């Protein structure tokens, strides 16, 4: 019996080894097959590293080639015609010390106006790759990895995934590494403690963030991922462009850097891309999404504007119904990898490919939410009528529609299980059908205790809503009010404000338009606002009123005062009847005011003033429309505001609402209504 | 069968096209070399022209017995680096091992073995002009390792002593084939479908690469070397991206050498400029140079990317004709040079030895060259570089050179500066025509900036009392006073240091009148005391023009010498003094600032040349220029000044873009992108 077993076991072991090695070579074969006529170039690379002393480099080459079949770029005349745009930016960048942002929109307009839509092609790397290119890439990546002082902190797997890759997005292929190796190893070595990998990372990130400027306009004109040459020439672009540039420089210098992204913030209509250093020493700090004055920007940059020295507002310091939002909330964080991720492979391996949403049609996307967030698992039982679908998505609200942030395969038990989800965010379960997201349940949020709270409108009942805003009051905006407390309104009959009289000193935190009655008996020609010591002004509107024939009269005069910090913030901005613009002074005690003119002295009866703000309050004269969600957005009617709040008496309790301003603006957010207060999500 | 024949025909057509390209280049190059040899009256010569794999053209016009007695030395110059490279690749030797381990005599202890293959521009110990020395170092390293490994190399060539010219040139071509077959540079083929961001990356900041001197021009990397023995010369050129290798040995005592005038400049050789014109200029590469109208060509060349090549081609040939005694021909070319390139370096300088220079600076360059002056010497510096306009400079004026003058008119000595309390800041920046700061008014303020010499600027200021909110100044009155001198040096756009009249930290004192000193109005000259300065009543009105009126000479300068931020290496780096006068209309200040590097406001020199004292490392001179020229972003310098006896480094650094490697705007018209320092001959 024993004798029979031994050969059987041996045969099984051999079969297992063959199976495993076949599986291991699946990616390699896919790439070689996809390469077609270019297969020879890929094989040449493997041959080049056939010597025993090159075994590690061969492994690296295999890693690149076996995952190469998923990578591609866009080429063709349509892509090439934008070269002029980057050439012009490049030339300008070689003529002036500051990046060309102030002219950029004008340049984009003039260049792209003459472009016509022509052909572009998607070409796979396997079909373009040359042995010369990849060998050069491997050699210099190894050189950077091995030679830099922090190399001991980077293991081979990390090296392969986050230093070795020759591309990050779907940009055109270019040989960037020799240049970047020379440029950025030099920059990294300028940091004084080169053995500290995180110190070098921070040093490079801060230097390069200054060098490469954010300009969100460019992606509206250039529909492709900027290539490394484009990024180097223009030194400007969107957040992913900036990250792509900085990560490429870091990888060239031997720093394992990854591009992580939040597909959409939980309480903001935008996404975020960030640079992450892959280190052995991971932080234990996690973001909870609780609205607290705690600085989380060390975990996710720009996740909040609050800093420890900032103002924490007490309820009695704020108008009724208003609260300050200290942070942005995060539903999910993903990482771009070079290699194929098994989780994504499993989700995307469905029969009906039309169910795959474009945002999730990526094999090299890794869920890293756990590294950033205090997460929870969401398990939702689906209505049986939706079980014909194979993939379910969790979406968050955006002004452009619900945006998917997580995907999962619907289980055989009829449940959709979403792992590692951020809390305190309103989610909507959906499927992707006919190229659109179809909601399949009521929206819900997960509370602090991981309980799912559904937001179902109680249509049989009505409640009254008093609405004071259409958007959160973020701490950054609230902070502008702090800069006005202690500010003085003064009158004088001398241009140098000698013999000055105080009309009113602001003794509270003013939000939006404020009004004060002045009981002064004297008349003045010169009127001004003097910000408190250390404040740069930050005043959006000032209105001095006098009395003429018992009527209140808005006083007008020529604008006087200290110059503004730049053209956009000069003194006229405090008197332009536009709450969007504001005056910011160039000197620490700069002031702003009006001269009523020779022979014209007025007694001030009233002052109206408004701090720099986000104009998301209810503005009298603007038109608004309130919606609630019941499987779609349903209008509760339009109103023209005549005060600084709106009243709706016909709202269903328990619903999710959206207040739209019909006069424009993009900052709008969903809210629930609890205890007479708008609660923002 | 039919298909096979078609395929074969197609293959042959493709092959012949590829060959044709090389053939055409070789034919044209050969014709131009022959024409030039004839024009230069060189009758005894040999040459080979080859591509990466084979010799395309050869000509041997010298006798069989004619040989270089130093042929072994010449061959070793190219062979030894390749042997060393193979040993590094075979891990017999680590390229990062410090060189002094093998060669204790090396002074620069930071040099690595790799430095012998790639000599960077910012070291001074290994000099490519002494390539024999580098070769001997390489051989020392090879021998010390070989003693242990006994490995041989396929380029181990026997009997290389006293080779005749034919065998020498063939051997050099063989080494060139080996160099190309191993792709020693890592050069990426331009035929690739994948573009290379920095095609010449392999010679970044290098003066020498494995036996070759490096020149970069218009996107090409040119390797070259030159050897002489008595009247015999050997010129070698290898243009990497075209794959062409040319070696010419010739007998001539009249033909200028690349190493003439203490220089290492390939464009001093007329044969070299002819070869380069044939290879790099597409208009010349298709026809004989003799068929091109020279004047027409030069007028086109003025604005071409290769204008340097044409400029130096003229000079090289003119010098050769002058040496040959063909004075008329020579002067015709010199005149053409002066007519075609009126802003170029004057001929009298081109004919004399250079103290130090970097003439054709490429991108990402960081070079230094040592020179010594035995006595105080008047020198002439020619240079060019790239300059940027700081569009935001009006918001960053504190980072530029200048004076900040703080006045507390009623001496209230409050703890914060407040304009409404008549406390003001007036800032006067070097090279800027406006007054900035924190004040109620700048009405009727006059000021003038003057440059008495290269390291001093004067600022003369008049501020009316009325502007200061002061009605009747009286003797004995005290005004709160402070002042800072702001200094920016090499590390643009950052400020290097500030100094103050009274001792305080810049960030503490600039807004705090309670810490300032006193300015007391007097009627007779009085010496200052600590924190008390005296302002003498002037008998005559002061003219604000940057010239020192007699009234100023009646009083002494008061030193401004307390470093309040950054660091100062000496008084020459940043120091100053001031005088002050008053009359019934205004108060006057005269500032005298010593600054080794005067940077005008709003200008950032991004490619810069400067002279540094080798002992103290202090900057003795820095090139600067104006953005207001038709050549912007290029600026050019032509300056005469005196350097004290001593040891110096001439330094030059460039950034990425706009250089002889690739122009973003117009190239300079003086024939130099970099810096050249001569003894003045005025």
């Amino acid at each position: 019996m024993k004798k029979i077993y031994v050969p059987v076991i041996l045969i099984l072991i051999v079969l297992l080894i063959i199976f495993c090695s076949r599986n291991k070579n699946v990616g390699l074969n896919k790439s070689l097959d996809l390469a077609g006529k270019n297969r020879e170039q890929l094989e040449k690379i493997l041959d080049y590293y056939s010597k025993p002393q090159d075994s590690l480099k061969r492994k690296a080459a295999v890693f690149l080639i076996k995952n190469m079949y998923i990578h591609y770029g866009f080429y063709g005349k349509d892509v090439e015609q934008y070269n002029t745009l980057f050439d012009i930016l490049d030339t300008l960048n070689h003529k002036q010390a500051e990046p060309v942002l102030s002219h950029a929109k004008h340049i984009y307009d003039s260049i792209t106006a003459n472009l016509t839509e022509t052909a572009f092609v998607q070409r796979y790397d396997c079909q373009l790759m040359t042995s010369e290119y990849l060998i050069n890439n491997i050699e210099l990546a190894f050189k950077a990895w091995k030679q830099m002082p922090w190399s001991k902190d980077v293991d081979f797997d990390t090296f392969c995934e986050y230093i070795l890759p020759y591309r990050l997005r779907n940009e055109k292929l270019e040989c960037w590494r020799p240049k970047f190796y020379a440029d950025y190893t030099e920059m990294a070595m300028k940091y004084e403690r080169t053995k500290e990998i995180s110190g070098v990372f921070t040093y490079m990130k801060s230097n390069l963030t200054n060098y490469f400027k954010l300009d969100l306009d460019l992606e509206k004109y250039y529909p492709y991922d900027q290539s490394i040459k484009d990024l180097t020439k223009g030194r400007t672009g969107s957040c992913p462009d900036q990250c792509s540039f900085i990560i490429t420089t870091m990888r060239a210098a031997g720093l394992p850097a990854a591009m992580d992204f939040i597909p959409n913030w939980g309480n903001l209509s935008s996404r975020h891309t960030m640079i992450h250093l892959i280190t052995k020493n991971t932080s234990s700090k996690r973001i909870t999404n609780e609205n607290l004055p705690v600085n989380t920007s060390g975990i996710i940059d720009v996740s909040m504007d609050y800093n420890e020295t900032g103002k924490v507002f007490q309820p009695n310091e704020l108008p009724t119904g208003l609260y300050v939002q200290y942070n942005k909330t995060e539903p999910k964080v993903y990482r771009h990898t070079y290699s194929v991720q098994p989780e994504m492979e499993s989700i995307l391996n469905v029969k009906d490919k039309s169910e795959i949403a474009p945002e999730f049609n990526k094999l090299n996307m890794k869920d890293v939410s756990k590294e950033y967030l205090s997460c929870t698992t969401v398990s939702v039982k689906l209505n049986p009528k939706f079980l014909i679908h194979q993939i379910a998505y969790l979406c968050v609200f955006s002004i452009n529609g619900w945006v998917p942030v997580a995907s999962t395969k619907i289980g055989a038990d009829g449940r959709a299980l979403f792992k590692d989800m951020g809390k305190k965010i309103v989610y909507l379960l959906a499927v992707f059908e006919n190229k659109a997201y179809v909601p399949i349940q009521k929206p819900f949020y997960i509370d602090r205790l991981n309980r799912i709270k559904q937001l179902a409108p109680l249509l049989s009942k009505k409640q009254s809503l008093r609405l004071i805003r259409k958007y959160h009051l973020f701490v950054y905006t609230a902070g502008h009010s702090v800069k006005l407390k202690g500010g003085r309104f003064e009158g004088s009959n001398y241009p140098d404000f000698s013999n000055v009289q105080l009309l009113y000193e602001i003794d509270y935190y003013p939000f939006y338009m404020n009004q004060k009655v002045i009981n002064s008996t004297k008349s003045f020609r010169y009127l001004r606002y003097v910000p408190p010591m250390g404040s740069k002004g930050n005043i959006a509107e000032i209105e001095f009123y006098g009395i003429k024939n018992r009527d209140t009269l808005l006083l007008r005069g020529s604008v006087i005062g200290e110059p503004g910090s730049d053209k956009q913030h000069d003194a006229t901005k405090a008197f332009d009847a536009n709450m969007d613009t504001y005056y910011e002074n160039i000197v620490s005690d700069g002031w702003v005011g009006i001269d009523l003119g020779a022979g014209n002295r007025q007694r001030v009866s009233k002052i109206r003033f408004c701090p720099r703000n986000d104009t998301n309050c209810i503005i009298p004269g603007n038109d608004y429309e309130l919606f609630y969600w019941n499987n779609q957005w349903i209008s509760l009617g339009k109103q023209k505001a005549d005060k600084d709040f709106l009243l709706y008496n016909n709202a269903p309790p328990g619903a999710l609402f959206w207040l739209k301003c019909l006069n424009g603006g993009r900052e709008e957010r969903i809210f629930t209504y609890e205890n007479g207060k708008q609660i923002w999500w | 069968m039919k298909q096979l024949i078609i395929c074969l025909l197609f293959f042959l057509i493709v092959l012949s096209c590829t060959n044709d390209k090389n053939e055409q280049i070789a034919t044209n190059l050969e014709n131009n070399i022959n024409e030039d040899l004839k024009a230069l009256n060189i009758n005894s010569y040999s040459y080979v022209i080859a591509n990466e794999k084979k010799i395309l053209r050869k000509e041997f016009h010298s006798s069989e017995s004619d040989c270089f007695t130093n042929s072994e030395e010449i061959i070793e110059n190219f062979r030894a680096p390749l042997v060393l490279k193979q040993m590094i690749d075979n891990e017999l030797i680590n390229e990062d091992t410090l060189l002094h381990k093998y060669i204790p005599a090396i002074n620069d202890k930071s040099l690595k073995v790799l430095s012998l293959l790639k000599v960077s521009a910012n070291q001074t110990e290994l000099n490519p002009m002494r390539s024999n020395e580098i070769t001997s170092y390489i051989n020392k390293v090879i021998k010390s390792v070989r003693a242990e490994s006994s490995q041989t190399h396929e380029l181990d060539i026997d009997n290389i002593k006293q080779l005749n010219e034919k065998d020498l040139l063939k051997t050099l071509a063989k080494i060139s084939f080996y160099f190309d077959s191993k792709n020693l540079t890592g050069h990426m083929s331009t035929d690739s479908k994948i573009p290379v961001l920095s095609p010449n990356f392999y010679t970044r900041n290098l003066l020498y690469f494995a036996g070759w001197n490096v020149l970069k021009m218009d996107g090409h990397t040119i390797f070259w070397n030159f050897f002489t023995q008595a009247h015999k010369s050997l010129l070698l050129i290898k243009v990497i991206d075209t794959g062409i290798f040319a070696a010419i040995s010739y007998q001539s005592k009249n033909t200028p050498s690349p190493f003439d005038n203490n220089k290492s400049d390939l464009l001093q050789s007329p044969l070299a400029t002819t070869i380069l014109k044939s290879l790099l200029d597409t208009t010349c590469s298709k026809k004989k140079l003799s068929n091109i109208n020279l004047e027409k060509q030069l007028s086109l060349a003025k604005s071409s990317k290769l204008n340097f090549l044409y400029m130096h081609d003229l000079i090289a040939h003119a010098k050769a004709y002058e040496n040959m005694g063909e004075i008329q021909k020579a002067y015709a070319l010199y005149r053409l040079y002066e007519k075609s390139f009126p802003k170029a370096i004057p001929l009298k300088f081109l004919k004399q030895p250079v103290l130090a220079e970097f003439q054709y600076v490429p991108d990402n360059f960081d070079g230094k060259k040592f020179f010594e002056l035995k006595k105080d010497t008047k020198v002439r510096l020619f240079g060019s570089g790239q300059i940027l306009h700081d569009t935001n400079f009006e918001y960053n004026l504190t980072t530029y050179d200048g004076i900040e003058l703080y006045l507390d008119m009623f001496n209230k000595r409050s703890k914060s500066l407040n304009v409404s309390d008549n406390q003001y800041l007036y800032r006067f920046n070097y090279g800027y025509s406006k007054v900035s700061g924190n004040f109620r008014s700048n009405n009727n303020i006059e000021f003038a900036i003057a440059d008495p010499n290269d390291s001093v600027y004067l600022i003369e200021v008049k501020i009316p009392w009325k502007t200061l909110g002061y009605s009747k100044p009286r003797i004995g009155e005290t005004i709160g006073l402070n002042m800072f001198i702001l200094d920016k040096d090499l590390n643009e756009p950052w400020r290097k240091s500030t100094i103050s009249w009274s001792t305080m930290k810049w960030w503490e004192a600039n807004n705090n009148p309670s810490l300032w000193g006193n300015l007391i109005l007097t009627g007779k000259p009085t010496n200052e005391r600590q924190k008390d300065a005296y302002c003498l009543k002037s008998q005559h009105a002061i003219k604000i023009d940057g010239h020192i009126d007699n009234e100023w000479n009646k009083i002494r300068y008061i030193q401004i010498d307390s470093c309040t931020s950054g660091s100062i290496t000496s008084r020459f780096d940043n120091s100053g003094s001031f005088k002050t006068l008053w009359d019934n209309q205004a108060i006057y200040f005269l500032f005298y600032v010593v600054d080794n590097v005067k940077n005008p406001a709003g200008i950032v020199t991004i490619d810069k040349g400067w002279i540094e004292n080798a002992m103290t490392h202090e900057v003795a001179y820095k090139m600067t220029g104006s953005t207001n020229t038709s050549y912007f972003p290029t600026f050019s310098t032509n300056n005469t000044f005196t350097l004290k006896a001593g040891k110096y480094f001439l330094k030059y650094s460039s950034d990425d873009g706009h250089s002889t490697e690739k122009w973003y705007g117009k190239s300079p018209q003086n024939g130099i992108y970099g810096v050249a320092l001569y003894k003045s001959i005025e």
Side-chain angles (χ1 to χ4, degrees), chain B residues 4-16:
Chain B
L4 188 72
I5 293 168
I6 291 168
C7 281
L8 197 67
L9 277 171
F10 180 73
F11 175 74
L12 287 171
I13 289 166
V14 170
L15 195 71
S16 67

Side-chain angles (χ1 to χ4, degrees), chain A residues 38 51 53-54 87 90-99 103 123 127-130 132-133 136 140 143 147 173-176 178-180 182-183 186 228-229 232-233 495-496 528 533 562 564-567 586-589, chain B residues 89-91 95-96 114 118 183 186-189 192-198 201 204 364 386-392 394-396 416-420 437-440 511 604 606 627 632-633 655-658 662 664-665:
Chain A
N38 203 43
K51 290 182 207 158
Q53 69 260 35
D54 287 336
D87 283 344
D90 187 27
T91 304
L92 287 172
N93 279 332
H94 281 87
K95 289 188 174 182
Q96 60 188 54
E98 284 294 304
H103 313 290
R123 296 189 71 178
Q127 294 160 350
L128 271 180
M129 189 53 66
T130 64
E132 199 180 31
Y133 174 92
N136 178 285
L140 288 177
K143 212 167 172 183
Q147 285 183 350
L173 264 194
E174 285 160 348
C175 180
W176 49 267
K179 175 178 165 50
F180 274 47
D183 284 349
E186 201 178 297
I228 306 302
K229 194 173 182 178
T232 311
K233 282 181 167 184
D496 61 355
R528 72 173 178 182
M533 189 60 70
E562 296 293 344
S565 57
D566 53 40
K567 262 187 192 169
I586 193 167
V587 291
S588 59
D589 60 349
Chain B
D89 288 346
N90 291 343
E91 296 179 354
E95 63 183 24
D96 291 322
L114 186 66
K118 299 177 179 185
N183 191 12
H187 163 72
M188 310 278 286
S189 161
S192 164
K193 291 164 275 184
I194 307 170
V196 187
L197 251 58
S198 175
F201 65 89
R204 182 172 162 134
N364 303 112
Q386 186 191 351
I387 206 161
L388 296 182
H389 180 49
D390 180 358
T391 47
N392 257 352
E394 282 172 315
Y395 298 102
N396 301 312
S416 64
L417 186 145
N418 198 335
V419 174
S420 47
N438 194 359
F439 42 75
R440 185 180 292 142
N511 269 323
V604 175
I606 200 82
T627 52
F632 177 66
D655 76 332
D656 193 7
H658 196 68
K662 188 188 174 190
Y664 276 85

Side-chain angles (χ1 to χ4, degrees), chain A residues 237-251:
Chain A
S238 62
C239 188
D241 292 330
Q242 189 187 50
C243 291
S244 176
F245 177 77
I246 296 175
I247 289 167
T248 306
T249 64
M250 288 179 167
R251 289 181 176 184

